[in-house]
Every structure is written in C-alpha cells, then in structure tokens.
Amino acid sequence: MVSPERKAQLAIASSPDGLDSTPATPHISVLMPNYNGAKYLAEAIASILAQTYTNFELLVLDDGSTDDSLAIARGFDDPRLQVHALEHGGLPTTLNRGIALARGMSARACM
C-alpha cells in the first residue's frame, strides 16, 4: 500500500514538467561539499538554484573553510537552500554527513 504522501511525491516526480516549489519532501537532495571555495561558490549556488526543475533541496556542506565561503553561502535567501558548517573532515566525511542530512528520495553530489 502506498501512502498518500508517497503518491503525491510520485505524482510530482512523474509530472510532465516535474515542477513543484513547495514539496513536503524534496525529490532530489543536491549535496555541495565546499572547502575554501569562496571564489566560485556564489556562482555555483546560483546556478543550481536557477534550474527550471525546482523539487530539490541544496545542501551546502562547508568543510571547515577558512575563507568567506560560509558567509557567501548564508547570503542566499532561498527556502531550498540549507547551509551546514562542519568541522574539517575531508571529502568522504563531508559527503557522508550530507547523505545523513538529505531528505530527498535521491541524493546527488556536485563537485
């Protein structure tokens, strides 16, 4: 038996345009690990948030950056964006933390 919430998720995922800006559970979790990437971070975040498919959450996973990365990421005002400040642990640790935080039915990392 499929729950009503899962039916709604599947309907969004299978709709012709796949668009729904306010899903209860995002279809996709996009994981963006970052370590001292301030130079390109704003452009990368803006690019993902500008996608026509909107049923996603973007998790920026700051791996203990010592540059302005955290301030840049927190400067965006979008309900799909989550910024997580983590202790420096390296890429595998950061991605594992992101997977644990992801709410989407599918998780993808962009690097």
Side-chain angles (χ1 to χ4, degrees), residues 31 47 49 64 68 79-80 97 99 102 105 108-109:
L31 310 178
S47 175
L49 294 176
D68 292 330
R80 299 169 295 172
R97 180 70 175 135
I99 290 168
M105 294 185 287
R108 300 289 184 249

Side-chain angles (χ1 to χ4, degrees), residues 66-106:
T66 57
D67 63 5
D68 292 330
S69 293
L70 206 50
I72 291 167
R74 288 180 173 158
F76 284 82
D77 183 26
D78 190 301
R80 299 169 295 172
L81 175 65
Q82 297 177 36
V83 179
H84 298 276
L86 309 173
E87 289 185 27
H88 184 62
L91 183 59
T93 300
T94 300
L95 288 174
N96 284 335
R97 180 70 175 135
I99 290 168
L101 293 166
R103 298 179 304 124
M105 294 185 287
S106 177

Side-chain angles (χ1 to χ4, degrees), residues 30-53:
V30 179
L31 310 178
M32 182 183 288
N34 175 70
Y35 180 71
N36 290 338
K39 183 175 180 180
Y40 303 104
L41 188 59
E43 184 179 356
I45 292 171
S47 175
I48 292 173
L49 294 176
Q51 299 299 307
T52 56
Y53 183 83

